[in-house]
Amino acid sequence: MIQTRNIVTLLALLLVSALAEEDPEPIFEALGKELEMGFCFGDDIAVYRLTAEKRELLGSSSSPSIPPPDAFKGRIHISNDELFILKMTNLQFSDSGTYISECRSGNTTKNYLKHSLHVCNEEISPQQISLTPGTGADLVCNIGSRKNITVKWYRQSKDKDNISLFMDTQISLEPLQAKFKSLIQVHDKGSSLHVSDEFIQDRPHFVCLVMEGGQCRSFQTIGLPEEPEIKNVYRSVGENVVLPCSVSHLRQRHWNTPFGQVNSSAPLHLKTEKQISLLTSMNSEDYPLVIHSLTLEHVGSYTCFSTFLVEEYVVNVCPLLEPTDISFSAGDKQVVLQCDFMSLPEFSVKVKSLSVLWYRNTGEQDILIMDSGDPSLTNDLQGRLKFSRTYSSLNVTDPKKEDNGTYWCMVLQNYEEGFDDEDTNSTYDDEEHCACLEQHHNQ
């Protein structure tokens, strides 16, 4: 038993030793700000600062009476609000250095993080990457009026779990990694870089540090706009749908679909000719995808790329109920549009929950005007719309001429977890499924 415990302890020490050899994760903070480290769900958190001589304990939740080094007195605070956090306040230039935070449970190290802290005079406002005509982008670091400076460039992955130094002008005006040398052109002594589309296609962020006399004067984050929100598109069987996308005609561009990739030189032909195609446009920045004669097989994700992700759609194909003609007249006080779906076979099974959406099309675009799950939704009919749980109906008060258009209800359903649909041979989870679509046309 003692031997087993010794082996476990030895393995834990070897793990800590191996992790200590890894490159520390850079952290950038401005002078006078604060920094939180730890985030420990174990029984104990300990944070150390590494110096050339030794490993200094800044704080430990299991030994709160041990004071931090003199340089940190009054600036170290440990809290335990659901998890342990060590906070360092009023950051100083001298705080720059390497830190280790350990999360322990008994004799076991559950989490181990190594950081390299850079304290700078100031943080410059974030900047968007400037895409250039043709291909590539310009990364311009704001160095102010300083002359005798060097610049450190870091690249951070999109998921922000990896950030690494790829250029240090004090060392060289070439990238530190050979794989990047063909992707980067250096200008203005390294304060400006022109990078290829390949270098930014995975949507990274960049951080530049302006160094002067061995001290960080400023840092700045440079990145592309965030990825677009996913747009849900609801249509019925047999309809055509156009998915817009604005792209640069000078960049490589394509659509990813459930059936494969589509671009202008490689149209996608399915069992039926021209089921999916690109719409030819006089405007070189328009790159819409057209899906002809929707079937249930067309359900899925459709993404448009121009170097990086530009648009993302999820197409939902719903059974269409018999359209109903309605009329609005000036003398009407109220018009009731019913969403009559409860008689459908789909609703005879165990449905966990239902959401009813009402849309309107005035000839230009589809507008969501009512969501049974979101009473805060606003639109131009505000104050004259009311949703009733009875027949999931939409009540329009004092209808006007401009209210004319096509209205339809969309029913989304969640089946109970584990319900097995024998017809589709699948098991539903908590995702929403398009159950039906019912249209109401103005006469």
Side-chain angles (χ1 to χ4, degrees), residues 184-234:
I184 300 173
Q185 298 174 18
V186 181
H187 302 284
D188 301 324
K189 298 181 180 180
S191 65
S192 175
L193 307 178
H194 181 79
V195 299
S196 68
D197 278 359
E198 183 181 349
F199 197 63
I200 60 171
Q201 65 182 356
D202 57 347
R203 231 183 187 95
H205 281 72
F206 301 90
V207 178
C208 66
L209 267 63
V210 178
M211 309 294 295
E212 185 178 31
Q215 187 169 292
C216 181
R217 295 303 181 188
S218 66
F219 72 96
Q220 182 178 30
T221 301
I222 304 172
L224 289 160
E226 295 299 321
E227 287 190 358
E229 292 185 3
I230 298 176
K231 299 179 177 67
N232 279 291
V233 177
Y234 300 99

Side-chain angles (χ1 to χ4, degrees), residues 234 316 318 347 351 353-357 410-414 432-436:
Y234 300 99
N316 302 272
C318 317
F347 297 93
V351 175
S353 63
L354 289 176
S355 296
V356 179
L357 311 178
M410 190 78 60
V411 183
L412 304 178
Q413 60 185 0
N414 286 346
E432 292 181 319
H433 300 270
C434 182
C436 68

Side-chain angles (χ1 to χ4, degrees), residues 142-387:
N142 187 341
I143 63 173
S145 59
R146 297 185 177 93
K147 302 296 183 183
N148 300 318
I149 57 98
T150 59
V151 182
K152 291 185 177 183
W153 284 95
Y154 293 82
R155 188 177 190 271
Q156 186 174 31
S157 60
K158 180 181 69 173
D159 51 14
K160 298 184 179 181
D161 65 352
N162 181 32
I163 181 168
S164 59
L165 179 70
F166 70 90
M167 178 173 285
D168 185 344
T169 63
Q170 187 175 19
I171 299 173
S172 172
L173 289 181
E174 289 189 351
L176 300 176
Q177 295 85 6
K179 63 181 180 180
F180 292 149
K181 289 186 178 181
S182 63
L183 309 180
I184 300 173
Q185 298 174 18
V186 181
H187 302 284
D188 301 324
K189 298 181 180 180
S191 65
S192 175
L193 307 178
H194 181 79
V195 299
S196 68
D197 278 359
E198 183 181 349
F199 197 63
I200 60 171
Q201 65 182 356
D202 57 347
R203 231 183 187 95
H205 281 72
F206 301 90
V207 178
C208 66
L209 267 63
V210 178
M211 309 294 295
E212 185 178 31
Q215 187 169 292
C216 181
R217 295 303 181 188
S218 66
F219 72 96
Q220 182 178 30
T221 301
I222 304 172
L224 289 160
E226 295 299 321
E227 287 190 358
E229 292 185 3
I230 298 176
K231 299 179 177 67
N232 279 291
V233 177
Y234 300 99
R235 291 292 186 274
S236 59
V237 174
E239 281 193 86
N240 297 338
V241 62
V242 178
L243 306 178
C245 184
S246 296
V247 298
S248 167
H249 72 287
L250 297 174
R251 286 186 153 78
Q252 292 185 352
R253 48 193 180 158
H254 68 273
W255 281 85
N256 282 344
T257 77
F259 310 98
Q261 189 178 111
V262 186
N263 59 48
S264 53
S265 60
L268 186 62
H269 298 292
L270 305 179
K271 294 179 182 179
T272 302
E273 284 292 306
K274 298 182 180 178
Q275 279 191 318
I276 296 181
S277 62
L278 291 168
L279 187 64
T280 303
S281 172
M282 296 298 292
N283 186 345
S284 60
E285 294 186 352
D286 289 340
Y287 198 62
L289 185 76
V290 183
I291 309 174
H292 304 266
S293 302
L294 283 172
T295 69
L296 294 177
E297 294 180 352
H298 287 105
V299 171
S301 175
Y302 296 78
T303 50
C304 176
F305 288 83
S306 178
T307 299
F308 44 80
L309 180 64
V310 179
E311 294 285 359
E312 182 170 10
Y313 297 90
V314 174
V315 174
N316 302 272
V317 183
C318 317
L320 176 64
L321 298 185
E322 189 68 26
T324 304
D325 290 331
I326 59 172
S327 61
F328 287 177
S329 58
D332 291 335
K333 293 297 183 183
Q334 180 172 277
V335 174
V336 179
L337 308 178
Q338 291 188 359
C339 193
D340 188 13
F341 60 87
M342 290 305 297
S343 60
L344 293 177
E346 294 94 319
F347 297 93
S348 62
V349 299
K350 295 180 179 180
V351 175
K352 186 175 182 180
S353 63
L354 289 176
S355 296
V356 179
L357 311 178
W358 277 94
Y359 285 83
R360 178 178 63 148
N361 187 292
T362 58
E364 297 181 357
Q365 59 180 329
D366 300 338
I367 302 174
L368 177 63
I369 58 174
M370 182 63 67
D371 182 347
S372 64
D374 183 10
S376 64
L377 186 69
T378 59
N379 54 72
D380 61 332
L381 295 172
Q382 192 70 20
R384 298 192 294 117
L385 284 182
K386 184 179 179 181
F387 176 76

